[in-house]
Amino acid sequence: MSYSIGEFARLCGINATTLRAWQSRYGLLKPLRTDGGHRLYSDDDVQQALRILDWVKKGVPIGQVKPLLERPGSRRTNNWVTLQETMLQRLKEGKIESLRQLIYDSGREYPRPELVTEVLRPLRSHLSANIPAMMTLREVLDGIIIAYTSFCLEGDRKAPGDNYILAGWQLTDPCEIWLEALKRTGQGHRIDVLPASPAALAPEIFPERKWLLVTGAKLTLARKKQIEKWREQVNYLDVIIL
């Protein structure tokens, strides 16, 4: 079968921007082209993309994947720690624009859920000490994360997708809202983010929207009852427990 880039992205669980980077920058995919110049992917391309994704999830730098595909028995490496350390070094040296570019480039080259889970969250944990210098560095990093997430969310609005509202609920770290939004970009969703966790939520005022609530709180019996009440009032509601 043949697939458009949108269909191919959904099949593989990889956003279209990353797929284009894998093809144009690294020569990892070679789709056919229609007479109009549009990419057409085959079932073999799907399998190739899943093999690439397998290596990337293990932390192999995308630029090192091609020879591994040709020699599947090659030694596996882990690049996530190295990428974290590179970002941290640039941040500590005040190379903010360089760090910003690295994060944007990584968002194109790696699946964004892995970028969040394996790099950005651990990096923020390194900066969790309650001292002014660390707190300032973390705020700078968070600003870049929020700006990059906003950039990705805006790109998603150019294509059809389900309409979501993503909000914090009983959440003390507002950047986690943006990290969860970033994980879901490029997947056919049009997400509006409530940038801070409000004191009280009223999902029922937008009943046709799909709601995603990010929480770090334990789901007590009272909170479970509140969730069930909201689910009766809106089209869809899910809770992401950190």
Side-chain angles (χ1 to χ4, degrees):
M1 291 184 64
S2 295
Y3 310 97
S4 68
I5 190 167
E7 293 168 334
F8 186 60
R10 285 190 291 275
L11 276 173
C12 301
I14 307 165
N15 68 74
T17 302
T18 298
L19 290 172
R20 293 188 186 98
W22 286 1
Q23 178 190 343
S24 60
R25 294 187 65 180
Y26 302 103
L28 294 171
L29 295 167
K30 296 179 181 179
L32 299 174
R33 295 273 186 171
T34 66
D35 292 339
H38 298 292
R39 295 173 177 85
L40 277 182
Y41 296 86
S42 67
D43 288 324
D44 287 342
D45 291 323
V46 172
Q47 295 305 312
Q48 176 80 332
L50 294 177
R51 285 192 291 270
I52 296 166
L53 185 61
D54 183 57
W55 284 111
V56 168
K57 285 184 174 181
K58 294 180 176 73
V60 175
I62 190 66
Q64 298 176 18
V65 167
K66 193 170 185 178
L68 295 174
L69 295 172
E70 298 166 356
R71 303 191 306 275
S74 298
R75 181 175 62 88
R76 298 177 178 180
T77 59
N78 189 314
N79 188 53
W80 296 130
V81 173
T82 302
L83 189 54
Q84 291 173 35
E85 290 173 347
T86 301
M87 289 183 181
L88 182 60
Q89 187 67 24
R90 293 186 186 185
L91 182 60
K92 287 182 175 180
E93 292 175 355
K95 297 178 179 177
I96 296 174
E97 290 306 319
S98 178
L99 172 61
R100 187 191 315 276
Q101 190 61 54
L102 179 56
I103 289 176
Y104 276 56
D105 288 344
S106 298
R108 286 194 297 269
E109 296 172 3
Y110 297 100
R112 290 171 193 157
E114 277 67 36
L115 177 63
V116 169
T117 302
E118 305 291 348
V119 181
L120 296 179
R121 277 192 173 129
L123 180 56
R124 293 184 78 243
S125 294
H126 285 313
L127 301 169
S128 60
N130 191 25
I131 56 177
M134 287 294 185
M135 293 169 68
T136 301
L137 290 176
R138 181 156 160 161
E139 288 298 318
V140 171
L141 174 63
D142 286 357
I144 296 173
I145 290 171
I146 291 169
Y148 178 56
T149 303
S150 298
F151 171 79
C152 295
L153 291 171
E154 195 60 33
D156 285 348
R157 299 188 195 285
K158 299 174 184 177
D162 295 328
N163 292 316
Y164 283 83
I165 294 178
L166 194 150
W169 182 44
Q170 307 287 331
L171 187 68
T172 57
D173 183 356
C175 193
E176 284 292 347
I177 302 169
W178 295 94
L179 289 169
E180 286 298 325
L182 181 58
K183 286 173 64 176
R184 288 159 177 78
T185 57
Q187 298 180 24
H189 307 317
R190 300 166 59 133
I191 300 173
D192 288 293
V193 174
L194 304 190
S197 185
L201 273 173
E204 67 272 12
I205 68 174
F206 296 118
E208 298 305 316
R209 292 292 183 106
K210 295 183 176 181
W211 284 78
L212 295 172
L213 304 184
V214 184
T215 186
K218 182 180 179 180
L219 292 187
T220 62
L221 181 59
R223 287 172 183 150
K224 289 178 180 177
K225 288 182 178 179
Q226 179 63 78
I227 291 168
E228 291 308 313
K229 180 179 178 181
W230 281 334
R231 283 176 172 160
E232 292 172 358
Q233 296 171 330
V234 300
N235 178 25
Y236 173 90
L237 184 142
D238 197 11
V239 179
I240 303 157
I241 303 173
L242 299 176

